[in-house]
Structure formats: C-alpha cells, structure tokens
Amino acid sequence: MVGVGIDGARGGWVRITYDSISLCLTISEQLEDLLIDGAVHFVDMPKDLGTIEQPGRSCDAFMRSQLKQRKSSIFTPPIEEVLNEDTYEAASLKSRELIGKGISKQAWNLVPRIREFQALDRDDVFESHPEVCFAVMTGREAEFSKKTEAGEAERIELLRRYSNSSPWKWKMSNVQVDDIIDACILAVAAYEAGTTGMSTYPDRSEGEPFVAVPTIKER
C-alpha cells in the first residue's frame, strides 16, 4: 500500500509517497504524471465545486468545523460556472452576477490547478486538506501556523510517528518547506485511509463535493 500526498507549489506540484517507511519527494509540472496505480492519493486542491444552484460546499463547512484557530486556511473556491473566464476581473464580476459574491484573488490563482485536477478521471484521487488531516490524526488542530518554526516543529513531530525521512530538508527555490510538509501529512493520511479506513464529508454517495480524511478517531 502506498499513500500519496500532493500539494500545489510555485514550481508545479509537490508529491510525497509513503509506504509505511519512507517519505519520498517528487516535483512535476503535471499532476497526472504524479499518479501511481494502486495508491490512494490525497490532493490539497478543490475539485468538485459549488454551482449557481448550490454555491456553498458543505465539505468546506465541515473542514472549518474541525479548525477553530486555523479555519482561515479553508478558502472558498469559485463556482463551476466561472472557471472558463479569461481574467480574474471577469470571473469575479460573473460570480457577483450569478450568486451575489465575488471571488478572492487566491481562489482565482488556483483555477488552472483546479481545472487540471478536474480533468483526471480516476477513482483513487481525492480532495483533502493537510490541516484537517492533522486534526483528525492527532485529535486536535495545529496550535501554530505552518509558516512558523513552531508550526513546522509540531507538524514534523506528527510525521516522526511514521517515518525518519526528512524530505523538507531539501532546499529548492520554487518549493516552500511548508508545501513539502503539507504533502507529507497528506501522504501519511492517504496511507492511513488506505489501510485503516477513509471517511468522506459529506458522504460521497450524496453526489455533492466532498473531502476525504482518514477515518476519524474518537476524541
């Protein structure tokens, strides 16, 4: 069993694989090139989006409910109907016209990656979120921001339960340390989901956008 965690970065996509021993790093410009047959993949990127009829995603509400201090890490993605606009201004204007809300620059900057994620036709690749996975696996949300030294340390403490590998020590100009650590958390979470059980919120049978996490332990 291999767990795969994937996060977007300035230099493309960051992939970490985890096989119960090692955390191994790969960088690629194409998401599809990072997929592994027989693995469970957790990707830190929205995939299925809200629509005019149902603009809010209940999976976003679930993720925010797991994060009291870190809920700002859950941003609201654009609705499906604006993904093909050519510019941020046009997309935000159309969103306001359709649902009464614009979109953030952060959300718009991820649109090319969202499109790439949506183009995948596989049943082993799931939207997930490293902060939520951390909370599920530890029973509490991270105390410190991942951008701080203390935040890195507490996330690495979790990863040390699974592996002595340290892929975040690689220095790259186009990939941030927190991108690698996020992908590591997702890889471990995907491994746990593939070996001990996976939960989706909402249940994927409901046909709504959902997020995947390892089966939540009793808190």
Side-chain angles (χ1 to χ4, degrees):
M1 171 62 207
V2 176
V4 177
I6 300 176
D7 193 16
R10 260 184 331 208
W13 296 90
V14 178
R15 182 189 75 184
I16 295 290
T17 58
Y18 177 66
D19 60 1
S20 81
I21 299 173
S22 300
L23 294 162
C24 298
L25 170 67
T26 306
I27 308 294
S28 175
E29 292 183 359
Q30 303 297 322
L31 176 59
E32 189 171 15
D33 293 343
L34 296 176
L35 306 184
I36 299 174
D37 290 341
V40 174
H41 305 75
F42 277 9
V43 183
D44 183 15
M45 190 64 57
K47 184 180 183 185
D48 299 318
L49 305 178
T51 62
I52 298 173
E53 291 76 19
Q54 190 173 346
R57 304 197 315 163
S58 57
C59 61
D60 291 334
F62 161 74
M63 289 191 286
R64 292 188 181 103
S65 75
Q66 302 300 300
L67 307 174
K68 305 305 181 184
Q69 300 181 75
R70 312 259 79 85
K71 66 173 59 179
S72 62
S73 66
I74 311 297
F75 73 93
T76 302
I79 59 172
E80 186 69 36
E81 288 83 356
V82 307
L83 277 194
N84 292 323
E85 295 300 317
D86 293 328
T87 66
Y88 165 70
E89 290 75 17
S92 191
L93 177 61
K94 185 173 183 179
S95 182
R96 288 187 187 281
E97 291 172 347
L98 294 175
I99 61 171
K101 294 180 181 178
I103 62 175
S104 69
K105 258 298 181 53
Q106 180 188 28
W108 175 252
N109 289 339
L110 293 179
V111 162
R113 299 196 188 280
I114 294 172
R115 291 174 183 153
E116 190 177 355
F117 194 4
Q118 288 185 338
L120 298 180
D121 184 19
R122 296 177 62 123
D123 59 5
D124 58 358
V125 185
F126 304 93
E127 176 184 342
S128 191
H129 196 284
E131 295 291 317
V132 177
C133 287
F134 179 98
V136 167
M137 291 190 291
T138 63
R140 62 172 182 84
E141 67 180 301
E143 183 177 356
F144 303 102
S145 166
K146 65 182 183 179
K147 299 288 187 182
T148 66
E149 186 175 337
E152 286 183 14
E154 67 176 330
R155 288 160 178 80
I156 290 170
E157 181 181 0
L158 167 63
L159 295 171
R160 282 286 176 255
R161 301 180 192 175
Y162 295 87
S163 176
N164 288 322
S165 305
S166 303
W168 50 84
K169 290 185 177 180
W170 289 93
K171 303 298 181 184
M172 291 170 283
S173 61
N174 57 352
V175 178
Q176 301 297 313
V177 170
D178 60 277
D179 294 330
I180 298 174
I181 292 176
D182 279 349
C184 287
I185 293 172
L186 290 173
V188 169
Y191 179 87
E192 289 286 339
T195 55
T196 64
M198 181 170 69
S199 299
T200 64
Y201 296 88
D203 190 283
R204 63 179 121 174
S205 65
E206 296 180 21
E208 296 182 40
F210 66 85
V211 63
V213 297
T215 299
I216 294 179
K217 300 171 183 176
E218 291 297 325
R219 298 193 179 183

